[in-house]
Amino acid sequence: MASKQNFSVVVDLGTSKMVALAGKLTELGKMEILGTAQISSKGIKRGVIVNIEEAAEALGDLLDLLENQLDEKPEQVHVAFAGSKMQTIDYRATSLTSGEGFVTAPDVQRLLDEAERVEIQQDYKVVQVIPTSYIIDDEHEVEKPVGSTGRKIEAHFKLVVMPTQYVNNLKLVFDKAGFELGEIVHASLAVSEAVLSSEEKEVGVIVMDFGAGTTNIAVFQDNVLKHTAVVPFGGQVVTNDIKEGCSIFLKKAELLKVKYGQAMGDFADEQKVVTIAGENGWEPRDISFKSLAYIIQARLEEIIECVNIQIEKSGIENNLGSGIVITGGTAKLDNMISLVKFKTAMDARNAHPVIHPVNRKEEFRNPELFTALGTLKLMLSSTGTGTVTERVQVKSSKKKERRFGPLFKDVVQGALNLFDTDGSDAELN
């Protein structure tokens, strides 16, 4: 049985599903999965908690399923979240060094403290502070600031911020479910950790996560996070378009999308149709594959255009050598890669995991687990090698040790190093 000291529990709070994972590091530093659980979401719409009671009930059920596999209640639960108003902002902090002409660990910690306490726009809160670079004496940039000679250190950070109300709602949900809320991780950063290699992040890459309620992106270059964004539209909007366009029930619209939908109408066979079975005396309805595909394509093009705007905002759209990695439920649609390539003029590929647990490997090829898997890696990377304060040898209380998120891993060692149809007509019942 795992103990509170050597395993972590994470939850991916999505619009359509909630996923929980528990895991620990082996003696060789490999990830071992101790338990998994997944249920349908409640109380969440487009990545935002809209009903505390419903969300808390679903979270409690989810963590009860996980706890049954652990035989022990988690002490703290970390969460991956992507509310539509989450964003990243740049922040620069400078300080004179306190050592004998070189940078010390307390110098770096002091800059981190300043970044966490910085006042941002009203009603927003900093939930993650991500170091991106350090400059010594206004001259040279270093990856490992501690020990560098100089009298001045300048640190550049990405601050992940979210409305204070989002944070308060998360705390309420976890309190009502009977669990302590731990770190809050931007979901796009978590999924990036699961599906992007360090080589891709070095030459420039985008991860595009098509969720049910939102489409999340993160942009990297030189192994540094450059930009994140949450587009408040996802697969559920596509499903609703099918419902309206085909005049069918929402449940059947989702089945139609999943079983027979594709992302580009030009590639759909206009000779094929799917028959929607009639109910309550209504006549059956025939819908062509091509018409269905064009409905889907129209909405996907709108979403990708929103993503294009965010890519431009990153300022490095011409320096993304790797292209785009797509993931999420909607990414499974046929010809999705072709549509993304066409609308962005970039190369693209489907996501696959770069994290390989020592057990249950096949299970974690499922894209629905990628965000939780990446979050778990971040948590284990933070706790598995000791806390930040232990590594930099700064005295602090345990409460203070938990102030900084897992993305501070190796913060004093350098900047963030992020890781069926058969040809005939079909019938939908």
Side-chain angles (χ1 to χ4, degrees), residues 1 25 35 63 104 129 175 215 224 228 236 262 288 296 313 335 382 387:
M1 181 175 68
L25 292 179
L63 292 173
T104 65
V129 181
D175 286 345
T215 299
V224 173
T228 67
Q236 285 186 347
Q262 56 179 292
S288 75
I296 294 172
K313 286 184 177 181
N335 299 312
S382 177
T387 65

Side-chain angles (χ1 to χ4, degrees), residues 12-266:
D12 170 21
L13 287 185
T15 299
S16 66
K17 68 181 186 312
M18 295 182 180
V19 177
L21 297 181
K24 67 177 183 178
L25 292 179
T26 67
E27 293 181 355
L28 297 177
K30 303 294 184 180
M31 181 191 294
E32 179 182 352
I33 302 300
L34 303 177
T36 66
Q38 180 174 338
I39 64 171
S40 297
S41 286
K42 294 180 182 178
I44 300 177
K45 184 177 181 180
R46 291 187 179 176
V48 177
I49 296 171
V50 295
N51 188 303
I52 300 295
E53 295 292 341
E54 289 183 356
E57 179 184 2
L59 179 64
D61 291 343
L62 175 74
L63 292 173
D64 284 346
L65 290 173
L66 187 70
E67 188 178 336
N68 290 337
Q69 301 171 52
L70 302 175
D71 295 326
E72 182 176 349
K73 183 172 182 176
E75 182 182 42
Q76 193 177 62
V77 179
H78 311 289
V79 61
F81 190 71
S84 59
K85 294 184 179 180
M86 289 185 75
Q87 55 186 289
T88 53
I89 59 177
D90 295 312
Y91 181 70
R92 183 183 68 176
T94 61
S95 175
L96 297 177
T97 58
S98 55
E100 297 297 326
F102 62 89
V103 180
T104 65
D107 294 332
V108 176
Q109 190 71 46
R110 187 166 58 250
L111 295 172
L112 296 172
D113 288 342
E114 178 183 335
E116 189 194 37
R117 293 193 303 265
V118 66
E119 292 186 5
I120 52 177
Q121 63 192 88
Q122 187 177 9
D123 299 327
Y124 268 72
K125 181 178 178 61
V126 177
V127 294
Q128 288 178 269
V129 181
I130 306 171
T132 59
S133 65
Y134 298 94
I135 299 175
I136 309 299
D137 287 342
D138 297 321
E139 293 181 355
H140 54 281
E141 184 174 322
V142 297
E143 293 184 355
K144 300 178 180 180
V146 175
S148 298
T149 58
R151 300 299 302 175
K152 177 184 175 184
I153 178 173
E154 177 180 305
H156 293 250
F157 300 103
K158 285 287 186 183
L159 307 182
V160 179
V161 302
M162 61 191 291
T164 303
Q165 189 60 50
Y166 282 12
V167 180
N168 293 340
N169 287 346
L170 281 170
K171 289 180 179 178
L172 282 172
V173 167
F174 276 78
D175 286 345
K176 286 183 175 294
F179 295 88
E180 179 186 351
L181 174 64
E183 303 286 352
I184 301 172
V185 178
H186 199 310
S188 62
L189 301 181
V191 75
S192 299
E193 193 71 17
V195 303
L196 299 182
S197 68
S198 60
E199 291 81 8
E200 288 171 325
K201 292 176 184 177
E202 181 180 358
V203 300
V205 67
I206 301 164
V207 64
M208 188 185 303
D209 184 7
F210 287 93
T214 61
T215 299
N216 310 319
I217 72 166
V219 184
F220 296 86
Q221 188 188 41
D222 296 330
N223 275 322
V224 173
L225 175 69
K226 296 295 185 179
H227 185 65
T228 67
V230 179
V231 176
F233 304 103
Q236 285 186 347
V237 177
V238 177
T239 301
N240 193 64
D241 287 350
I242 296 172
K243 170 195 166 188
E244 298 295 333
C246 300
S247 299
I248 58 177
F249 298 128
L250 188 64
K251 182 177 180 180
K252 290 196 173 182
E254 178 67 18
L255 287 172
L256 195 62
K257 180 185 74 174
V258 172
K259 293 185 70 174
Y260 307 113
Q262 56 179 292
M264 297 191 74
D266 287 348

Side-chain angles (χ1 to χ4, degrees), residues 308-335:
N308 277 334
I309 292 172
Q310 294 300 326
I311 294 173
E312 291 178 8
K313 286 184 177 181
S314 73
I316 60 170
E317 66 271 20
N318 296 321
N319 297 298
L320 296 168
S322 291
I324 301 174
V325 176
I326 66 170
T327 186
T330 307
K332 299 176 183 178
L333 289 171
D334 286 347
N335 299 312

